[in-house]
């Protein structure tokens, strides 16, 4: 049976664009899942690989049933090709999940169609009761988590959101998850080097939060911003929103009081926006894994937010910093060991807040 990646046949996780019959997986951890009884399943996938270096291509993984390790993991190495997702010598009833491992800055992954050797599909997997939304940057994406400090470029094959605190937390809490994260981006500025003194504010997380997939709109479709698809925030109502931002902003603020105040105002405004869109959601703000200089400012912003919205469950969590003995990934990013330690702290705080 050949079918499109639509809700009638599949469970779709995360923010994904569906355009001209193609399901585009852009954000880290976005996925499509389907169930069938048979011996083989495949996907026809497109990607604009000609616009990216070889080391910037999209990577995907396939999970069977509730497997913790990928059944297979592969690079999207062609502009258009068929990929085998599952094969068996005998018919089996299975759940197949195709997940994008790489983040939206790099090549997209478009699922044109899925196909099984069965004549029909089983009902899509059921959704979990709990829902969390995670807003962040490269740490949330699992950027460089399988890389090393010696690497001079970031290779997308070293990204793995399943080894990031984000999907580790979602798995431990048994929750559906929606990730909005992009490396190098912050609340009031992107990451800037030591030689810069002004913000780089053309592509920030609060803006990305408003769209389904701004990166795909800009880089794949080359559409004007006025035509970008706005995200339907009512389509995913999280019980808990995790906000892990400030690491990139700290490259600009540098503990300068006036700049910290700039960040506080921007962070406070973003919290209000999240609350306006999801008034019933609890909000857990955090930072500190790679750079903790803005933790105190974030705590001040959260306290100010609670004064204005006393009925909201909101808290601030200073994350434990990286340890040298745990190693470092690409460009000093946290390793799996550090990410797992972070997840333990986040899970404990989430359970405390939510009673889970």
């Amino acid at each position: 049976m050949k079918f499109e990646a639509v809700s009638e046949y599949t469970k779709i996780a995360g923010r994904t664009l569906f355009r001209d019959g193609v399901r585009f997986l852009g954000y880290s951890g976005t996925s499509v899942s389907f169930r069938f009884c048979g011996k083989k399943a495949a996907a026809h996938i497109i990607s604009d690989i000609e616009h990216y270096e070889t080391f910037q291509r999209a990577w995907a993984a396939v999970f069977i049933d509730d497997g913790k390790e990928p059944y297979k993991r592969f690079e999207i190495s062609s502009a258009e090709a068929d990929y085998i997702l599952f094969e068996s010598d005998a018919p089996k009833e299975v759940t197949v999940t195709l997940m994008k491992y790489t983040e939206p800055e790099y090549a997209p992954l478009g699922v044109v169609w899925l196909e099984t050797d069965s004549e029909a599909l089983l009902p899509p997997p059921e959704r979990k009761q709990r829902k969390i939304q995670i807003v962040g940057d490269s740490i949330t994406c699992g950027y460089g988590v399988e890389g090393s400090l010696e690497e001079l470029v970031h290779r997308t094959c070293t990204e793995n959101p399943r080894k990031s605190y984000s999907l580790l937390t979602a798995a431990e809490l048994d929750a559906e998850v929606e990730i909005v994260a992009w490396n190098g981006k912050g609340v009031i500025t992107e990451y800037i080097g030591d030689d810069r003194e002004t913000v780089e504010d053309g592509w920030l997380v609060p803006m990305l939060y408003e769209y389904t997939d701004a990166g795909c709109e800009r880089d794949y479709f080359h559409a004007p911003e006025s035509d970008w698809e706005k995200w339907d925030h009512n389509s995913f109502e999280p019980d808990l929103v995790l906000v892990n931002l400030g690491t990139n902003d700290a490259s600009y603020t540098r503990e300068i009081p006036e700049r910290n105040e700039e960040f506080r105002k921007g962070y406070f405004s973003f919290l209000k926006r999240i609350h306006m869109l999801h008034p019933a959601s609890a909000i857990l703000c955090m930072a500190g894994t790679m750079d903790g200089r803005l933790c105190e400012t974030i705590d001040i912003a959260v306290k100010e937010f609670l004064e204005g919205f006393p009925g909201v469950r909101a808290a601030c969590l200073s994350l434990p910093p990286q340890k040298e003995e745990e190693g470092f990934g690409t460009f000093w990013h946290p390793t799996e060991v550090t990410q797992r330690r972070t997840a333990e702290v986040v899970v404990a705080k989430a359970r405390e807040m939510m009673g889970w």
Side-chain angles (χ1 to χ4, degrees):
M1 178 179 174
K2 186 179 290 188
F3 55 99
E4 294 180 339
V6 293
S7 57
E8 180 182 356
Y9 305 117
T10 68
K11 173 186 170 183
I12 300 154
R15 296 189 181 189
T16 63
L17 276 176
F18 185 71
R19 188 162 297 165
D20 301 325
V22 180
R23 178 71 59 184
F24 287 91
L25 307 184
Y27 282 109
S28 306
T30 48
S31 67
V32 294
S33 303
F34 59 93
R35 298 174 60 239
F36 81 109
C37 184
K39 296 190 291 184
K40 186 176 181 180
H44 190 72
I45 294 173
I46 59 175
S47 184
D48 58 343
I49 63 169
E50 68 274 12
H51 295 132
Y52 296 89
E53 300 288 346
T54 303
F55 58 83
Q56 295 178 323
R57 289 175 178 170
W59 279 76
V62 177
F63 294 87
I64 302 302
D65 297 328
D66 295 322
K68 295 187 180 299
E69 296 298 323
Y71 172 77
K72 60 170 35 181
R73 180 175 174 177
F74 56 94
E75 174 187 309
I76 307 304
S77 55
S78 300
E80 187 168 3
D82 295 343
Y83 296 85
I84 301 299
L85 304 183
F86 172 77
E87 282 185 301
S88 174
D89 293 333
K92 289 184 177 180
E93 185 176 309
V94 293
T95 299
V96 179
T97 297
L98 172 65
M99 177 182 290
K100 186 168 184 278
Y101 262 27
T102 43
E103 61 171 296
E105 178 170 340
Y106 306 107
L109 185 167
V111 181
V112 181
W113 47 253
L114 299 159
E115 187 172 23
T116 67
D117 63 348
S118 60
E119 294 183 359
L121 296 173
L122 299 172
E126 292 185 2
R127 295 197 174 274
K128 297 174 180 178
Q129 184 175 358
R130 297 170 181 166
K131 295 180 182 179
I132 62 174
Q133 180 185 77
I134 308 179
V135 186
D137 49 36
S138 54
I139 302 170
T140 300
C141 298
Y143 178 108
V145 69
E146 295 179 345
S148 69
L149 200 55
E150 290 72 33
E151 296 187 65
L152 299 179
V153 297
H154 170 61
R155 297 175 298 123
T156 51
C157 63
T158 67
E159 288 194 356
N160 189 339
R162 297 270 295 193
K163 292 182 178 179
S164 166
Y165 82 91
S166 53
L167 291 192
L168 289 170
T169 295
E172 185 64 26
L173 295 175
D174 193 29
E176 297 288 335
V177 61
E178 177 186 284
I179 291 176
V180 181
W182 193 300
N183 89 75
K185 305 302 181 270
V187 178
I188 63 169
T189 184
E190 300 178 21
Y191 177 84
I192 61 172
D194 294 337
D195 58 338
R196 291 279 304 276
E197 293 295 335
T198 57
V199 299
E200 183 67 47
D201 59 0
W203 198 255
L204 300 177
V205 176
M207 179 277 289
L208 297 173
Y209 191 74
E210 301 298 330
Y211 296 97
T212 302
D213 187 345
C216 193
E217 296 279 18
R218 181 190 67 175
D219 301 331
Y220 185 86
F221 290 107
H222 309 292
E225 187 171 347
S226 58
D227 292 341
W228 295 357
E229 180 180 286
K230 290 290 187 74
W231 176 243
D232 178 9
H233 294 277
N234 294 322
S235 66
F236 188 89
E237 287 289 356
D239 301 297
L240 174 64
V241 180
L242 307 181
V243 182
N244 189 351
L245 293 169
T247 300
N248 294 303
D249 298 277
S251 69
Y252 162 73
T253 55
R254 302 171 191 168
E255 299 182 295
I256 298 171
E258 295 79 8
R259 296 183 183 182
N260 282 356
E261 179 62 12
E262 268 185 82
F263 175 79
R264 183 199 63 77
K265 289 179 179 178
Y267 198 95
F268 177 70
S269 294
F270 190 37
L271 288 184
K272 288 197 296 182
R273 178 62 177 163
I274 292 171
H275 176 61
M276 187 188 81
L277 294 167
H278 303 292
S281 301
I283 305 174
L284 176 57
C285 303
M286 64 191 78
T289 302
M290 292 182 69
D291 193 321
R293 288 178 290 178
L294 280 170
C295 286
E296 184 177 345
T297 304
I298 292 171
D299 187 54
I300 293 171
V302 172
K303 288 176 179 176
E304 181 187 8
F305 173 77
L306 284 171
E307 288 176 2
F309 303 92
V312 180
R313 284 177 294 175
C316 183
L317 178 65
S318 292
L319 298 173
Q322 294 168 291
K323 296 179 179 179
E324 187 172 353
E325 59 265 31
E326 295 175 343
F328 298 98
T330 309
F331 298 144
W332 301 93
H333 278 76
T335 60
E336 181 182 359
V337 176
T338 305
Q339 291 274 19
R340 287 188 177 277
R341 186 163 56 89
T342 301
E344 290 176 0
V345 174
V346 176
V347 167
K349 186 63 177 179
R351 284 180 169 153
E352 174 192 317
M353 289 180 68
M354 306 301 294
W356 287 346

